Amino acid sequence: MASTGVPLEARAQARADMARARSRTSFDIVPVRHWLHGDAEAWENHAQLVRIVSHEAVVNLPGRPFMSREERYANGQAIINRFNELRIQNQWSDEQLERALLVTGQILPSSLHATAFQPVILRQGSDEQIRLWGPAISARAIIGCYAQTELGHGTDVAALETTATFDPKTDEFVLHSPTLTSTKWWIGGLGRTATHAVVQAQLHLQGKALGPHLFFVQLRSLEDHSTLPGRTIGDIGPKALGAHQAVDHGFLRFDSVRIPRFNMLSKFAKVTREGQYVQPPHAKLVYGGMLYIRAQMNHHAVWLLGKAITISIRYCTIRRQGKVGADGLAPQVISYPSTYYRLLPILANAYVFNAIAHHLHAEYEAMSALLARGDASLLPEVHIALAAMKVLVSTDALAGLDIARRAMGGHGFSEFAGGGRLLADHTPAVTYEGDNYVLDKQVVRAAVKGHQMGVQLPAESLSVFAFLGQLAAPMSAPVSARDLAQTLRYRAANVVKNFAQLKDSTQDPGAEARVSRAVGDAYVAGIAANALEQGLPGGEPVHRLFLLHLLTTVESALADLPNVDSRALRAHIGAACADILPDAIGLTDAFGFTDWELDSALGVYDGAVYDALWERASKSGFNAASPHEKEYKAHIMAILERGRKEVARL
C-alpha cells in the first residue's frame, strides 16, 4: 500500500494515504449504508437528525472531556431540555426524539425514560393505563426510570426483596424495602431526575408471594420536584473509568408507600378488586421489559463497534511506522498482518452483528404481536436467543473496542482519539440487564433440555436450537459459508451432548461459558450463512466480511474441532483478510459517520490526524494557565527551592 514518487511532508502524506485508500473502494457504498441502517428511509432520517443535532451548541462535544461530573449532568439536562423543544418544533415522534438523543453519542440523565420506562409501560400496561399515562410520558410531562436492580440483587430477578403487598381494605398496594439489600440501586436517572418509576417488586397476596411484578410509582412532586413521603432517594456516586458521568444512577427505598391497585401494570397479569390473582399466559412475561432492552442493546453495540473500528482503521491507514522503503516511506500500520488480522475481524463482527440485531428485532416484534393476542408460543425461544446474543454480542463488542483502541498505539490512549470513551461506555453492558455468566446458565439449561427431548429441526432453520441433532462430523477443511455454519452447529451439538453427560460440573467449572458460547456461535453462523445465500448489498467485499466472521469463529473453536485442519483454516483467513484489505476504508465509510459523530481526532474523514490532534491539544483549557498561577506558587516553587537548597548542601 506504499505510495510512489517523492515522499510528502507527514501531514500531506496522511491526507494522500487516506485519499488513495478510499479510491481503492471497489463497491457502491450507498446500498451498503442503507442496509446497515435498515433501509434508505432510515438512513435519510438519521442523516437529517445529524444535520440538526450537530448544529446545536448545547451538545458541545469538544468541551465534554474538560467538564466535571456536575457540569456533565447539568449539560445533559440542558441537552434534553433543548431536544424536547426541538421535538415540538420539528414534530418529532417518540422514536425520532430517542434517535436524536442517541446521535449525541452521550448517555444522558433521562436516557432510560425512552429506552426502558416508556417501552415497558407500552408493552406491559393495559389499554386503560396507556390511555391514562401515555400522553404525559410521551410529552415528558413526567420523567421515568426503571427500578429493578437492588443493592443485593441484580440478574436474579426472582430474588428481589422489595415487596408490594395488596391491602384489600383500601384497594392499594403497599411498597416496602424490608432490608438494606432490598434498596433499589444503579437506577439510571433516579438520583436527581425522575419523577416516576416502573418498580419491579415481589407481589404479596393473601400471605402468598407470587413473584416479581411491575408497578407504576410516583417518586417526586410535580410541583417542586421534592421527594414524596416514604421514599428515600439519592445518587450512588461516580462510575468506573469515568463512564456515564451525565447519568444520575440512584438508590431508592420505600417505607410502606401506598399506591392504587390500578398502578400494577396489568396487560398480562392483574389483581382484582376482590384480591384474586389473574395469571399471565406465560410466567416469563414479567421479564418482557428486560427482553426489549436486550433487543435494543444489540443495535447499540453494533454502532459503538462501528465507530471504534472506523476510527482505528482510518488511523492505521495514515500512520506509517517501521523500516523506510525504497520509496522513502515507512509502511502503513494497516499493512502489517499483525494489525489487519486484529482489525478486520472486528469490522466483520460489526457487519454480522448488525444482521443479528435486525433479525432479533424482527423476532421480538413478531413475539410481541402474538403476545398481544395472548399467544406466548414464541416467548421461550426469543428469550433464549436474546440471552445468548446479549452474552455474545456484548462480550465480543467489549473485546473489539479495546483491540481497536490498542491497535492505535499510544495515541489511542488519548481522550481525543475517542476509542477509550466508547470502551468505557460499553464496559457495563456485560453485567447490566443480566450478568453474562448468569445468562450463560439460562442458555445452557435450555440447550440441554432440548437435547434431552431429542429436538431436531430442519437444516435451513434459523432457530437458536437449530444445532440440536446436528452431530454429523464436519469437513476437515470447511470453506463455504454453509459448511462453516454446519461445522459450528456440529460443535454446539457435541458440546451440549457432552455437558449433558457431565456428572459433576465442578470437574469442568468453565463448561457453562463454553457451551453457551458454542450455542451462540452456531446461532450467529446460521443467520450469517443464510444472509450470504440470500444475497447482500456490496457484492464480494461484504460477502468476504461475513465469510471472515465464520472463518475466525471456527478458528476460535478449534479446541472443540480436532478434525478441522487448522493450518488450512488459517490460510483461508489470511487470504480473506488480504482480499478485504483494499476495501477496508470503503467498508468503514459505509457506516456513514460524520466527523462530528465520531468526535475523534484520529478518525477524521480526510486523514488529517496530526492537524486534528494539534488543534485539540492547543485549545485545551489546561494550557491557558500561566506557570506563575497559584499551583506554581503553592507547590512547584516550593519543590524547586527545596531541591536547590539540597543540592547546595552537597
Side-chain angles (χ1 to χ4, degrees), residues 112-113 115-121 137 142 144-146 196-198 216:
L112 282 182
H113 177 96
T115 58
F117 176 75
Q118 184 175 24
V120 168
I121 289 175
I137 293 170
I142 62 175
C145 61
Y146 181 65
H196 290 70
V198 168
F216 178 82

Side-chain angles (χ1 to χ4, degrees), residues 129 133 214-218 259-265:
Q129 288 170 331
W133 302 325
L214 299 168
F215 300 86
F216 178 82
V217 185
Q218 186 171 350
I259 62 171
R261 177 174 56 87
F262 179 81
N263 284 26
M264 174 178 158
L265 300 192

Side-chain angles (χ1 to χ4, degrees), residues 317-504:
T317 296
I318 68 91
R319 179 72 168 183
R320 289 180 173 273
Q321 190 166 307
K323 185 178 180 180
V324 175
D327 58 1
L329 296 170
Q332 291 166 273
V333 171
I334 194 68
S335 69
Y336 287 96
S338 61
T339 299
Y340 65 67
Y341 173 74
R342 285 180 288 161
L343 295 183
L344 294 182
I346 298 172
L347 179 60
N349 282 354
Y351 270 66
V352 172
F353 292 166
N354 182 70
I356 296 298
H358 285 296
H359 177 81
L360 277 175
H361 179 77
E363 292 289 292
Y364 177 85
E365 291 300 327
M367 177 199 74
S368 297
L370 289 178
L371 287 176
R373 301 197 296 268
D375 182 349
S377 58
L378 286 181
L379 180 58
E381 175 161 338
V382 173
H383 168 67
I384 295 303
L386 285 170
M389 290 303 96
K390 193 275 181 182
V391 173
L392 188 147
V393 173
S394 66
T395 298
D396 284 8
L398 184 61
L401 288 166
D402 197 34
I403 291 169
R405 180 192 64 81
R406 291 168 62 190
M408 295 185 286
H411 287 329
F413 191 62
S414 170
E415 169 65 24
F416 300 145
R421 180 175 62 251
L422 298 173
L423 176 66
D425 281 348
H426 184 70
T427 292
V430 297
T431 49
Y432 66 60
E433 296 308 322
D435 178 87
N436 284 3
Y437 286 99
V438 177
L439 293 183
D440 282 337
K441 295 177 181 293
Q442 296 180 15
V443 175
V444 171
R445 279 198 300 269
V448 169
K449 182 179 179 181
H451 167 76
Q452 292 171 339
M453 292 173 61
V455 172
Q456 191 159 358
L457 299 173
E460 65 273 13
S461 172
L462 298 182
S463 166
V464 71
F465 300 115
F467 69 90
L468 290 169
Q470 304 292 318
L471 289 169
M475 300 171 61
S476 63
V479 177
S480 73
R482 183 51 59 188
D483 287 343
L484 290 162
Q486 185 57 36
T487 297
L488 291 166
R489 285 182 170 181
Y490 160 82
R491 173 235 191 168
N494 201 45
V495 298
V496 168
K497 181 188 74 172
N498 292 340
F499 182 84
Q501 296 170 351
L502 192 64
K503 301 296 184 183
D504 182 3

Side-chain angles (χ1 to χ4, degrees), residues 127-306:
D127 291 343
E128 187 178 0
Q129 288 170 331
I130 293 170
R131 280 196 300 271
L132 180 64
W133 302 325
I137 293 170
S138 182
R140 271 58 178 180
I142 62 175
I143 300 172
C145 61
Y146 181 65
Q148 176 172 293
T149 300
E150 294 178 354
L151 183 58
H153 308 280
T155 304
D156 188 3
V157 178
L160 295 177
E161 295 181 83
T162 302
T163 58
T165 304
F166 181 62
D167 182 351
K169 295 179 181 178
T170 60
D171 197 26
E172 294 173 316
F173 290 107
V174 181
L175 270 70
H176 190 62
S177 305
T179 64
L180 178 64
T181 50
S182 69
T183 305
K184 295 298 180 183
W185 202 266
W186 279 113
I187 312 305
L190 170 62
R192 293 186 180 182
T193 306
T195 62
H196 290 70
V198 168
V199 176
Q200 189 87 262
Q202 297 283 355
L203 173 62
H204 284 232
L205 198 62
Q206 299 175 357
K208 184 178 180 181
L210 297 174
H213 288 69
L214 299 168
F215 300 86
F216 178 82
V217 185
Q218 186 171 350
L219 304 175
R220 291 182 169 97
S221 165
L222 295 179
E223 299 297 325
D224 60 7
H225 208 60
S226 60
T227 302
L228 295 179
R231 292 89 164 156
T232 301
I233 302 175
D235 182 89
I236 67 169
K239 277 72 69 175
L241 307 177
H244 299 211
Q245 289 190 59
V247 183
D248 50 327
H249 290 91
F251 60 77
L252 167 65
R253 290 185 57 78
F254 294 108
D255 184 6
S256 299
V257 172
R258 290 180 173 270
I259 62 171
R261 177 174 56 87
F262 179 81
N263 284 26
M264 174 178 158
L265 300 192
S266 55
K267 184 180 184 71
F268 301 112
K270 61 183 176 181
V271 174
T272 68
R273 177 65 186 89
E274 295 73 30
Q276 298 301 309
Y277 180 62
V278 179
Q279 291 186 337
H282 195 287
K284 295 291 185 184
L285 283 173
V286 70
Y287 305 127
M290 187 183 294
L291 295 186
Y292 173 81
I293 296 169
R294 287 178 187 166
Q296 298 306 306
M297 285 178 68
N298 293 316
H299 288 286
H300 188 59
V302 165
W303 292 105
L304 285 181
L305 203 55

